[in-house]
């Protein structure tokens, strides 16, 4: 089964906690703190791998977590960094952040990679909190938070040439004749339900050609196979529009030609800016001197497209068509994919403007005042509630960030309860 879209959850590693430790060697008076720092949490990394062809594996495993950093140890020993988690995906995969809807990276080259979720920083050991007034700090810093994201993986085939056209016009037959690919071929609509890819050898060059599964009227709105395969056209550099000119199914070739162009334009107008040549297929069943065929050729050429008469099953005109595609391909200058105009802002994500802020509120149900904040939570997790110096460090941070003043504005008085995370404490103002 060809799977080209998947949703997964990723989580980086949490940073290791700093260590609280003191020197205990004999004959070393006032040895002081020697708690080491925690290790950094592992990153979650996506990497393109040319050996993969589908996102099938992500149907069965949806949660991916990197290794946590090791806690710091005594004797100033650092904790071990958590190992990075490398998630391999096929070349052509777009990694999208579900929350923002923005693409994070378009992985097109083999080995190309990026960090989708950074691991938390390791917490500092108590040796870092020693000062002239605090000779024996009995607390250390908690490790940094892990980063969790909901990710959408979307695979777009990377092909030089794409075959487009209505179902059953002969795209699969053309692919089978021109390449070594073996697509399923039968005389009914939607024989192809997965995109097929093959390599064309022409003279001294070669190129990849994809059979884009049948497009129908309304595909740009999701009808038929809809968006599932229209997206695969976006990466192709040259298009071959295959049209059944035999009229065997009672269809009008000119009408079919226009409808496909309209669907492509509605899906993404930039697609029609790609070089396109037209393959008039099943020519062995047509009178080439007849008025209908001549009218079709004139109509298409008047629109600026070159027409190549072919019969894919019996290999008539296929070589000439492939040579024309190779020439068009040689003219194309590689351009950056402009399918997306805005990418995920990693710099903004790393610099959370609310990280150091404290938010105060009153919980009527529990009759208590609540303090929240990301850095507050980290410092709270670092607090040794059996140590006065550590508690004072927490209180001074809350006071410095204006937390106490905000609570007072909400009505905080002596004896009231302040809740941070799941911990409750009684407010006793300093004299």
């Amino acid at each position: 089964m060809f799977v080209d879209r998947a949703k997964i959850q990723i989580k980086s590693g949490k940073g290791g906690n700093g260590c609280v430790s003191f020197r205990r060697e004999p004959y070393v008076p006032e040895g002081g703190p020697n708690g080491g720092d925690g290790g950094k949490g592992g990153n979650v990394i996506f990497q393109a791998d040319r050996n993969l062809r589908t996102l099938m594996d992500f149907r069965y495993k949806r949660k991916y977590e990197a290794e946590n950093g090791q806690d710091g140890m005594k004797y100033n020993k650092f904790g071990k960094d958590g190992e990075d988690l490398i998630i391999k995906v096929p070349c052509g995969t777009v990694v999208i952040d579900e929350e923002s809807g923005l693409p994070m990276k378009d992985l097109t080259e083999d080995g190309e990679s990026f960090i989708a979720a950074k691991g938390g920083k390791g917490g500092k050991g108590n040796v870092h909190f020693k000062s002239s007034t605090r000779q024996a700090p009995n607390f250390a810093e908690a490790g940094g938070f892990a980063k969790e994201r909901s990710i959408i993986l979307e695979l777009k085939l990377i092909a030089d040439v794409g075959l487009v056209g209505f179902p059953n016009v002969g795209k699969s037959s053309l692919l089978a004749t021109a390449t070594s690919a073996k697509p399923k071929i039968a005389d009914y609509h939607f024989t192809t339900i997965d995109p097929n890819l093959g390599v064309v050898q022409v003279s001294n060059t070669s190129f990849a050609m994809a059979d884009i599964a049948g497009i129908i009227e309304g595909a740009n709105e999701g009808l038929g196979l809809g968006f599932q395969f229209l997206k695969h056209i976006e990466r192709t550099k040259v298009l071959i529009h295959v049209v059944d000119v035999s009229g065997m199914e009672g269809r009008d070739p000119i009408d079919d030609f226009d409808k496909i162009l309209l669907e492509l334009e509605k899906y993404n107008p930039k697609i029609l800016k790609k070089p396109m040549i037209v393959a008039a297929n099943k020519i062995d069943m047509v009178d080439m001197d007849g008025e209908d065929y001549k009218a079709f050729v004139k109509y298409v050429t008047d629109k600026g497209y070159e027409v190549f008469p072919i019969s894919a099953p019996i290999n008539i005109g296929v070589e000439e068509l492939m040579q024309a595609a190779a020439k068009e391909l040689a003219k194309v200058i590689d351009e950056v994919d402009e399918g997306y105009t805005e990418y995920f802002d990693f710099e903004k994500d790393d610099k959370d403007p609310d990280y150091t802020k404290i938010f105060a509120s009153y919980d009527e149900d529990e009759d208590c005042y609540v303090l929240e904040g990301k850095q507050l939570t980290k410092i709270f997790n670092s607090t040794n509630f059996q140590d006065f110096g550590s508690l004072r460090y927490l209180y001074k941070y809350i006071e410095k960030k204006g937390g106490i003043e905000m609570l007072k504005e909400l009505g905080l008085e002596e004896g009231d309860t302040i809740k941070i995370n799941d911990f409750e404490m009684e407010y006793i103002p300093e004299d």
Side-chain angles (χ1 to χ4, degrees), residues 243-259:
V243 181
D244 178 2
V245 294
S246 70
M248 288 183 59
E249 297 186 7
R251 305 181 65 90
D252 179 3
I254 292 177
D255 188 46
D256 283 0
F257 176 78
D258 283 341
K259 284 179 178 178

Side-chain angles (χ1 to χ4, degrees), residues 132-149:
S132 59
T133 58
R134 189 191 302 117
Q135 294 293 314
N138 200 25
F139 62 96
E141 185 182 32
F145 301 112
K147 179 80 73 174
E148 295 186 61
R149 296 192 199 282

